[in-house]
Amino acid sequence: MVALIVSVVFTNAFIISSPDENTRFYYSGLTSTLTIGVALVICVIQVYRYKRRVEINASVRLSNRQFPYYYDNDKMHFSICLFLGLWFVAQFVWTFPYQQAAGAWIADILWFIGYASFGYFLYSLYYHFFKMEHEPLVLILIAIVISTVLVLVLDIIVSILRLLSTQPVDFSILLVTLVYPVLDAALVFPAVLIFWGARKRIAALKHAAVQQDRKTDETIQRGAGRASSSLSQSLTNISSIWILLLSIAMILSAIGDTGFAFSTAYGPESVQRDVWIWNIIYNADHLCLAAALIGYGSFFSFRKQDSRSDSKRI
């Protein structure tokens, strides 16, 4: 966490200390491209390490229940790598040939595909590991809260576009302005559910440890039970840290895209002037995502759930 904070401050210091607007714009785009590149490199390395770990475990055929559970899904591994790869290319295309409208549209298309790819990863992670952790009413309430905030944001943006436009709003501008907050909301939803589910696992482990200690009479058995519970609880606590960073990254992305949408509503001059502010948030988003991916294997250390699984199954 300390390294993450230092990285965010150090990276954004180049932007804030820039002497003029053009230099600030250049450094903001450059650092944003580099930070998403760092996340991509970490992701590829961690996916490779995870795959190797799964292969080793399969060959050894460990039967020790204390050993963490690993779920292997090539589609999920590919989707998150594809997402970061597309975003890296999109950020590069948008930043350096920004003066070309065609380059901006290519970047938007790449970002949209990247959203779909990452959405597949998040919803698959939720479906396989956390779908039994929440009651349907909880899902509905969270969806209502996110949707309400989204509607308010979109309404404000559209109102600004109408007030400032002396002619009918260009559909392409309206599309680019409004789609990103919608996509962010679609990704924040599973990210919040995943983090909440991980926290519920910790609470369930603590409760199970207390119950086991009460039922155990013999000293040796009690010590073994505590060791096993302690190991499982430690693994779940570590996993929740990486998932927390993943959720923070999604929220930062939503904040940055919302701010950028407001700047777009005020016109191209506003985008050129304010984009460095939103790139500071994007840098923090990318670095949080990179930090979360350091614990990539922990995303899959939970027990897989299906329709017959109990909600307290670990």
Side-chain angles (χ1 to χ4, degrees), residues 81-289:
C81 291
L82 177 63
F83 149 66
L84 290 170
L86 290 171
W87 272 29
F88 175 76
V89 175
Q91 186 66 44
F92 180 87
V93 171
W94 190 90
T95 300
F96 296 100
Y98 175 71
Q99 67 278 6
Q100 300 177 5
W105 270 107
I106 292 173
D108 287 324
I109 293 173
L110 293 175
W111 269 314
F112 291 157
I113 300 174
Y115 269 108
S117 183
F118 193 45
Y120 175 83
F121 176 84
L122 286 178
Y123 280 97
S124 296
L125 190 64
Y126 168 76
Y127 177 81
H128 288 296
F129 299 100
F130 302 101
K131 65 178 179 179
M132 302 299 293
E133 294 293 338
H134 307 290
E135 298 294 334
L137 180 60
V138 173
L139 302 181
I140 295 173
L141 290 176
I142 294 177
I144 290 175
V145 171
I146 295 176
S147 299
T148 301
V149 174
L150 177 63
V151 169
L152 290 175
V153 169
L154 295 181
D155 181 65
I156 294 173
I157 294 173
V158 172
S159 299
I160 293 174
L161 284 170
R162 290 174 177 174
L163 288 174
L164 298 180
S165 299
T166 57
Q167 55 186 0
V169 179
D170 186 356
F171 176 76
S172 62
I173 297 177
L174 182 64
L175 177 65
V176 173
T177 303
L178 301 183
V179 166
Y180 285 103
V182 174
L183 295 176
D184 286 318
L187 296 188
V188 168
F189 178 68
V192 170
L193 293 178
I194 290 169
F195 174 69
W196 193 351
R199 300 303 301 175
K200 290 183 68 175
R201 295 290 184 91
I202 295 174
L205 279 170
K206 291 180 179 179
H207 178 75
V210 171
Q211 294 297 323
Q212 187 174 18
D213 287 342
R214 290 177 179 177
K215 294 180 180 179
T216 305
D217 297 323
E218 297 181 10
T219 304
I220 297 178
Q221 293 179 346
R222 182 169 61 251
R226 286 176 180 171
S228 176
S229 298
S230 176
L231 176 62
S232 299
Q233 184 173 331
S234 176
L235 290 170
T236 309
N237 271 296
I238 293 174
S239 300
S240 68
I241 293 174
W242 307 121
I243 291 176
L244 171 62
L245 291 173
L246 185 68
S247 302
I248 292 175
M250 293 300 95
I251 294 173
L252 288 173
S253 177
I255 294 173
D257 285 339
T258 301
F260 190 87
F262 278 109
S263 295
T264 304
Y266 281 103
E269 296 80 8
S270 178
V271 173
Q272 181 77 16
R273 183 184 66 250
D274 300 337
V275 69
W276 67 273
I277 300 175
W278 314 126
N279 274 335
I280 287 177
I281 298 177
Y282 290 141
N283 286 338
D285 161 35
H286 299 160
L287 291 173
C288 281
L289 185 57

Side-chain angles (χ1 to χ4, degrees), residues 15 17-27 276:
I15 304 175
S17 60
S18 298
D20 55 70
E21 182 177 301
N22 291 332
T23 305
R24 190 179 296 116
F25 174 84
Y26 174 78
Y27 278 129
W276 67 273

Side-chain angles (χ1 to χ4, degrees), residues 13-61:
F14 286 98
I15 304 175
I16 298 174
S17 60
S18 298
D20 55 70
E21 182 177 301
N22 291 332
T23 305
R24 190 179 296 116
F25 174 84
Y26 174 78
Y27 278 129
S28 67
L30 177 63
T31 55
S32 186
T33 304
L34 292 177
T35 51
I36 194 67
V38 169
L40 173 61
V41 171
I42 291 177
C43 181
V44 171
I45 293 174
Q46 293 302 325
V47 167
Y48 173 77
R49 293 181 60 188
Y50 181 79
K51 292 290 294 181
R52 289 290 298 162
R53 191 184 312 169
V54 171
E55 292 175 1
I56 293 172
N57 293 342
S59 61
V60 176
R61 297 182 180 276

